[in-house]
Amino acid sequence: MTIEFIGIAATQETSESGAATPVNGGAGDGVSAQTEAVAAHGPVVQPAYLRALARAHEEAGFDRILVAHSSASPDGFTVADQILTHTDRLGVLLAHRPGFVAPTLAARKFATLDAFHPGRVALHVITGGDDADQARDGDLTDKATRYRRTDDFLDVVRKEWTAATPFDHDGEFYQVRGGWSAVRPADPIPVYFGGASDDAVRVGGKHADVYAFWGEPLAGIAERIRQVREAAAPYGRDPRFSVSLRPIPAATEAEAWERAREILRLTKERTGEAKKLFNLDHAQQRGSQRLLEYAAQGEVHDKRLWTAIAATTGAAGNSTALVGSYEQVAESLLDYVKLGVSTLLIRGFAPLADARDYGTLVRLVREQASDVAVPA
């Protein structure tokens, strides 16, 4: 199996723990990885930092870097273009919320970006699980309505990408007359999709090329893969799968746990600030609820899936970690591959330093992936 690695973009260094930065630590250097807190400072958009972060991911062997989205985020299309312009092969996974840009226009925006950087652009569909965050951009619809709108949106997007002649569309949310685009991707732009609710699985099963999960225990991921495959089957689709995790590796397992406990300490100090930073009502999001349920069952699942950060932050997004030596963390990542996961989205608590350090994990997983038996 070919393994895809995805990191995360940022225009300013920050994290739940105040950008917990490893000091004098690295892959197999035998030096204890200490941690110091670096609070966010300076302007929100720092071009030099974004370029350094993108190049670090490229040099570490990552395939793509996620450009995330919230109602307060810098414009993702501009950020994605900067990443693509200042790297040679690194792709972007550009998050987009349906409902704020007409689907015909959104399709052309993605196709235009792809025309300048062929084959390096992917769409990550974020329907939006938080009513308050949607309302900040003027969207007062409920969650069920948003998923129906996403379904309609993606129908139009694919038509705009593929139609060689003008098309009409009559959907619940979008009506198009004579739609047509002069710019269309030469190769299909992959559609990634996330969400843990029944509505998410239904719509994602229909549209997703890659379905993304947060880092649950192995049994939970296996069950979710089964659900999505069942939802995709009536449409003749066979999606790939992604899992998002927060590795905390070190030269030894003891050093990794030492660093993990320090990250947890710093995160607890910043809990109120972190929740404000993420600006989400996690109680509305089924994915967050699932992570909190696992955290309530125990701090460590499987071999080394650590839930303490999820419990502390209210499962603010991707918040479960794999803690251990580089070899142990790579082994745990491969356990997800054995379930049929082909994309691993990994990000750390010190974004730039960890992106550089993760090159060891990328190498170890890829070296061993060819020996993994994947279920049909």
Side-chain angles (χ1 to χ4, degrees):
M1 177 185 288
T2 300
I3 306 301
E4 177 185 49
F5 278 93
I6 300 180
I8 192 163
T11 57
Q12 177 192 49
E13 182 160 32
T14 188
S15 82
E16 301 92 324
S17 60
T21 303
V23 180
N24 295 327
D29 62 4
V31 180
S32 177
Q34 300 174 6
T35 304
E36 64 179 16
V38 180
H41 63 281
V44 172
V45 175
Q46 299 178 25
Y49 176 77
L50 175 66
R51 290 194 291 269
L53 185 61
R55 289 168 181 158
H57 280 90
E58 184 168 65
E59 290 167 4
F62 282 77
D63 300 283
R64 298 187 187 275
I65 187 169
L66 170 65
V67 180
H69 178 91
S70 78
S71 63
S73 301
D75 174 63
F77 284 93
T78 302
V79 173
D81 184 66
Q82 287 293 302
I83 293 167
L84 294 166
T85 298
H86 290 95
T87 55
D88 296 320
R89 61 156 193 84
L90 187 70
V92 295
L93 177 57
L94 175 53
H96 186 80
R97 280 185 183 171
F100 301 101
V101 178
T104 50
L105 177 56
R108 295 197 303 275
K109 288 167 72 71
F110 272 91
T112 301
L113 195 59
D114 181 74
F116 280 100
H117 309 281
R120 297 171 64 192
V121 178
L123 162 61
H124 190 28
V125 180
I126 305 296
T127 297
D130 175 12
D131 292 345
D133 201 50
Q134 296 289 129
R136 293 183 186 100
D137 275 331
D139 179 20
L140 304 182
T141 59
D142 61 21
K143 190 174 179 180
T145 302
R146 292 197 291 270
Y147 273 107
R148 297 200 315 274
R149 183 176 62 193
T150 292
D151 188 1
D152 200 14
F153 177 92
L154 289 172
D155 282 341
V156 177
V157 165
R158 289 197 185 276
K159 290 178 181 178
E160 187 82 358
W161 279 344
T162 60
T165 58
F167 67 89
D168 294 342
H169 177 85
D170 288 289
E172 180 182 358
F173 299 91
Y174 301 105
Q175 293 77 45
V176 177
R177 295 293 177 269
W180 183 77
S181 176
V183 54
R184 299 189 298 276
D187 296 311
I189 293 176
V191 174
Y192 292 61
F193 198 99
S197 67
D198 291 342
D199 284 335
V201 172
R202 175 181 56 82
V203 177
K206 176 181 176 182
H207 292 284
D209 297 308
V210 181
Y211 203 105
F213 309 125
W214 283 341
E216 298 184 7
L218 295 168
I221 295 298
E223 174 62 16
R224 298 210 58 207
I225 287 174
R226 183 193 63 77
Q227 292 172 347
V228 173
R229 282 179 170 157
E230 286 183 357
Y235 302 98
R237 301 188 63 82
D238 184 21
R240 294 181 288 121
F241 298 98
S242 171
V243 171
S244 300
L245 294 153
R246 309 288 293 273
I248 305 176
T252 68
E253 182 176 11
E255 290 168 0
W257 278 111
E258 180 183 354
R259 185 182 172 211
R261 297 299 179 191
E262 181 64 4
I263 289 171
L264 179 60
R265 182 188 69 79
L266 294 169
T267 301
K268 286 180 176 178
E269 289 180 359
R270 290 198 62 202
T271 296
E273 183 180 347
K275 289 181 179 178
K276 181 179 178 182
L277 173 68
F278 278 90
N279 238 352
L280 296 171
D281 177 9
H282 311 301
Q284 291 185 328
Q285 299 185 54
R286 182 58 189 140
S288 294
Q289 293 170 8
R290 288 177 65 94
L291 294 189
L292 292 174
E293 289 165 6
Y294 287 121
Q297 295 169 15
E299 186 173 298
V300 178
H301 291 257
D302 301 326
K303 297 172 183 174
R304 54 191 60 87
L305 181 69
W306 189 49
T307 65
I309 298 295
T312 299
T313 62
N318 174 15
S319 50
T320 49
L322 293 174
V323 183
S325 70
Y326 290 92
E327 293 77 12
Q328 289 173 329
V329 172
E331 177 187 48
S332 290
L333 290 170
L334 285 163
D335 286 340
Y336 288 99
V337 174
K338 293 174 184 176
L339 297 178
V341 171
S342 62
T343 293
L344 298 168
L345 193 158
I346 57 173
R347 65 185 182 101
F349 295 91
L352 181 55
D354 284 335
R356 291 168 174 157
D357 189 45
Y358 284 171
T360 299
L361 294 177
V362 172
R363 176 181 57 79
L364 287 171
V365 170
R366 287 200 167 126
E367 284 176 352
Q368 300 173 47
S370 60
D371 298 327
V372 172
V374 179

